[in-house]
Amino acid sequence: MKMAFKAFAPVVRSSGDDSEREGKSTTLGIDESHVLQERTIGVFGAASLIINKMIGAGIFSTPSGIFKLSGSVGMSLMCWIIGAAVATCGTFVMLEFGGAIPRSGGIKNYLERSYSPRLMQTCIYVFFCVFLQVSASNAITFSSYLLVAAGAESTTWKLRGVAIAGAFFSCGVHAVTPRIGRWISDLLSVVKIFTLFFIVCCGFAALGGHLKVDQPHNFSNGFEGTSNNGYNIGTAILQVIFAFGGYDNINAVLSEVRNPQKTLKLALPLSMGTVTVLYILANIAYFAAVSKEDFKAAQVTVAASLFRNMFGDTAAVKALPALVALSALGHLLGIAFTVPRIIQELAKDGVLPFSNFFMENRPFKTPITALALHLGVTILFVCAPPAGDAFNFIVSLSSYPGTIMHLAIVIGLVKLRLKKSENFTSPFPAPWPVIGFFVVSNIFLLVMPFIRPPSGKGNTSLPYWLSPFVAVMILLLGIIYYVLRFVLSPLVFGYKHEQIQQDLSDGSKITRFRRIKTR
C-alpha cells in the first residue's frame, strides 16, 4: 500500500467562487445539471423498483433447477425458506447502510466506506456492475414465455432475438422517455403481483383437486430423494438468492428518492415481506399442480406447465405465459433503470474510461450512454453461452459475485460498528444475530459451489466450477485494473495522480485524476 500512497498527490477541491455556486467548477468545468437526476421517487415508486427487480426470471424459471438440485419437494421448499431468511437478513443490512449513507451508489458506497484503499473498492465494483449486473437471464425468460404464449417454435436465434428486443426496449424507453419508462415499470410491478397471486390461487385450486390431469401427490414422502451433496444444496440456495436478488435496488438510486431514509424504511420491508410470502406460496402451487417429471422437464417454463395442467389447451395457456413474460419485462425495466445510474456514479469517480462520456445525462436527463453500455453487455451475455445452458449459467454468474459483495459489506458493517474511530451511525441498526447469520450463510454459499457434485457435473453441460470461477476472475480484474492504473503506472512512468474533486448538491462528488510528473 506504500506504493499506492505515493502514487497520489493531495486532493484539490473546487474553490467555491460564484461560478461554482451556479453549478460549475472552475477546476473541472462540469455543470451538475448535466449529471444529476431529480428526486421523483416516493414510497410506491421505491417499492415498485424493488419488486420489479426481485420478481423477474427467478420465481418463474428457477424452481425446476432448484428442484433438480435439491432432489426432493421438501428440500426444494426448505431451500426457498433458507434463501428467504438470507435475503431478509440482507434487507436489514441494506436498511442500516442506506440510512447511514442516503445517496445513490448502493453497494459501491458501502464498500468504499468500509475498506481501503477506497479506490480499489471502486475499481472492483466497476467490473461487478458492468459485467455481472446484466439482465440477460430475465431477457431469456421474457423471450421463452413470450414464444410459448405466441405458440411459436423456440429456436436458438429466435430465443436470442426476442431476448435482445426486450432488452433494447427496456433500455430505450428509459433513455428517451424516462417518465413513461417509470410508469410502465410501476404498472408491471402490479402485473407481477397479480400474476404471482393468480399462481397461488391456482395452487389452492390444485390442492382441492381442480386439475385437468391426475393429482401429482408431490407432498407425499416430501423429502424422498433429497440430495446430500453440498454443491447441489449450495447451488440450489444460490438460485433462490438469485430469485430474491433486487432488495438492494432502491439503495442504488437514493439520490432520486424523496425523503430517502423514511422511504427506505417503509418500502424495503414492505416489498421483501410481500415477495417472500408470494414466493413460498407460488412454489407450493407449482408442486400442487405439476408432477415431478414434468417439473424437471419444464426448465425455465414451469409456470406454463402449471397453467396447462390447470386449464388444459385453452386460450388461458397462452394468455397466462404472456403475463409471466410481462413480469420478466418489468424486471428488465427495473435493472435498466438502476444499473446505468450506478455506472454513472462510477463515472463520477473517474475510474471508468471516458468517464465524462458515461457521466452525462443529456439530452433527455437520463444516463443514456451508461444505458447503451448496459445494453451492449446484456446482448453479449445473451449470445455468448451455449443456448441450452445460457439461463442456468447466467443465474450462477449473477448470484455468486452478488454473494461475495454481500459478504464484503456485512463484514465491513461489523468493522464500522466495532471501530469507534469510524464514527458510523445509522437510524436503522440491524440486530447482531441477523448480521451473524448473514455472514455465516454467505460464507456457506461461497464455498459450496466448489464442492464436487456426485457425478462431477453441475446443472449445465459446462464444468460445475466455471460460473463461480468466471465471476471471481471478473472481480479480480478490478484489482488488476487498480494496480496497473493507480500503482504500477505512476511508479514506472514517474508521476502522481492529483485528485480534483467537485462537490455536488446531492452529497456526492465528481473526481478526476490529473497526472503530475515526479521525474
Side-chain angles (χ1 to χ4, degrees), residues 40-115:
T40 59
I41 302 173
V43 174
F44 178 76
S48 171
L49 280 173
I50 297 169
I51 289 171
N52 263 326
K53 182 79 180 288
M54 291 180 72
I55 304 177
I59 188 58
F60 303 117
S61 302
T62 59
S64 175
I66 291 166
F67 173 58
K68 283 189 282 188
L69 286 164
S70 61
S72 69
V73 173
M75 193 63 220
S76 178
L77 292 174
M78 285 297 298
C79 287
W80 280 95
I81 293 170
I82 293 169
V86 174
T88 300
C89 292
T91 301
F92 279 97
V93 172
M94 290 299 167
L95 193 58
E96 178 164 355
F97 266 123
I101 311 173
R103 64 174 185 270
S104 292
I107 292 175
K108 164 192 168 293
N109 294 338
Y110 313 150
L111 289 172
E112 292 172 348
R113 181 67 175 83
S114 301
Y115 301 103

Side-chain angles (χ1 to χ4, degrees), residues 349-415:
D349 290 331
V351 295
L352 280 177
F354 314 108
S355 287
N356 286 347
F357 177 71
F358 287 115
M359 188 178 66
E360 282 283 349
N361 67 2
R362 291 181 288 181
F364 303 109
K365 293 192 76 68
T366 60
I368 189 167
T369 51
L371 276 160
L373 176 62
H374 174 68
L375 175 63
V377 177
T378 298
I379 292 172
L380 174 66
F381 276 88
V382 167
C383 297
D389 296 323
F391 181 81
N392 285 327
F393 179 79
I394 293 168
V395 166
S396 299
L397 194 62
S398 301
S399 306
Y400 195 82
T403 302
I404 294 174
M405 291 295 168
H406 288 157
L407 180 61
I409 64 169
V410 72
I411 291 175
L413 179 60
V414 172
K415 169 179 170 286

Side-chain angles (χ1 to χ4, degrees), residues 151-482:
E153 181 186 0
S154 179
T155 62
T156 297
W157 281 104
K158 190 180 292 183
L159 189 72
R160 288 172 174 170
V162 176
I164 291 169
F168 190 87
F169 170 79
S170 301
C171 291
V173 72
H174 278 313
V176 179
T177 56
R179 289 188 182 276
I180 293 177
R182 284 279 314 286
W183 181 83
I184 296 173
S185 186
D186 290 347
L187 177 64
L188 290 180
S189 69
V190 176
V191 171
K192 290 182 179 197
I193 295 294
F194 169 78
T195 303
L196 271 181
F197 184 73
F198 187 78
I199 287 173
V200 170
C201 291
C202 287
F204 283 116
L207 289 172
H210 299 284
L211 284 168
K212 298 291 185 180
V213 296
D214 294 335
Q215 283 277 93
H217 300 293
N218 286 331
F219 299 106
S220 302
N221 300 317
F223 286 90
E224 182 182 0
T226 297
S227 173
N228 59 2
N229 181 264
Y231 169 86
N232 287 344
I233 301 302
T235 303
I237 296 174
L238 270 176
Q239 291 201 10
V240 175
I241 297 297
F242 168 79
F244 276 98
Y247 55 82
D248 61 338
N249 205 32
I250 195 62
N251 292 64
V253 293
L254 282 178
S255 294
E256 297 180 51
V257 175
R258 297 191 298 268
N259 198 346
Q261 291 178 327
K262 181 180 178 181
T263 300
L264 191 67
K265 182 182 179 181
L266 293 173
L268 198 50
L270 175 65
S271 303
M272 174 57 75
T274 301
V275 170
T276 298
V277 171
L278 288 174
Y279 274 14
I280 301 300
L281 292 178
N283 273 277
I284 294 173
Y286 291 145
F287 285 117
V290 182
S291 68
K292 293 179 182 179
E293 293 73 21
D294 289 345
F295 211 99
K296 291 178 180 178
Q299 295 184 349
V300 300
T301 56
V302 65
S305 298
L306 177 144
F307 297 144
R308 188 177 301 107
N309 291 351
M310 289 295 303
F311 302 103
D313 293 323
T314 64
V317 175
K318 293 185 177 181
L320 295 174
L323 287 178
V324 178
L326 287 174
S327 298
L329 181 63
H331 189 283
L332 289 174
L333 286 163
I335 293 179
F337 182 84
T338 305
V339 172
R341 281 161 171 77
I342 301 176
I343 294 173
Q344 191 180 43
E345 291 297 314
L346 292 165
K348 288 182 188 177
D349 290 331
V351 295
L352 280 177
F354 314 108
S355 287
N356 286 347
F357 177 71
F358 287 115
M359 188 178 66
E360 282 283 349
N361 67 2
R362 291 181 288 181
F364 303 109
K365 293 192 76 68
T366 60
I368 189 167
T369 51
L371 276 160
L373 176 62
H374 174 68
L375 175 63
V377 177
T378 298
I379 292 172
L380 174 66
F381 276 88
V382 167
C383 297
D389 296 323
F391 181 81
N392 285 327
F393 179 79
I394 293 168
V395 166
S396 299
L397 194 62
S398 301
S399 306
Y400 195 82
T403 302
I404 294 174
M405 291 295 168
H406 288 157
L407 180 61
I409 64 169
V410 72
I411 291 175
L413 179 60
V414 172
K415 169 179 170 286
L416 292 173
R417 278 192 177 189
L418 296 179
K419 197 172 181 181
K420 299 298 182 183
S421 60
E422 293 286 355
N423 195 28
F424 180 84
T425 58
S426 172
F428 315 121
W432 278 110
V434 167
I435 292 174
F437 179 75
F438 198 53
V439 170
V440 172
S441 59
N442 278 293
I443 291 173
F444 169 81
L445 292 172
L446 290 181
V447 172
M448 287 302 104
F450 286 102
I451 303 297
R452 181 181 172 84
S455 62
K457 291 188 65 176
N459 57 341
T460 71
S461 61
L462 302 170
Y464 70 91
W465 46 263
L466 185 62
S467 57
F469 176 78
V470 170
V472 171
M473 289 300 103
I474 289 175
L475 295 180
L476 285 177
L477 286 176
I479 299 176
I480 294 170
Y481 176 70
Y482 167 77

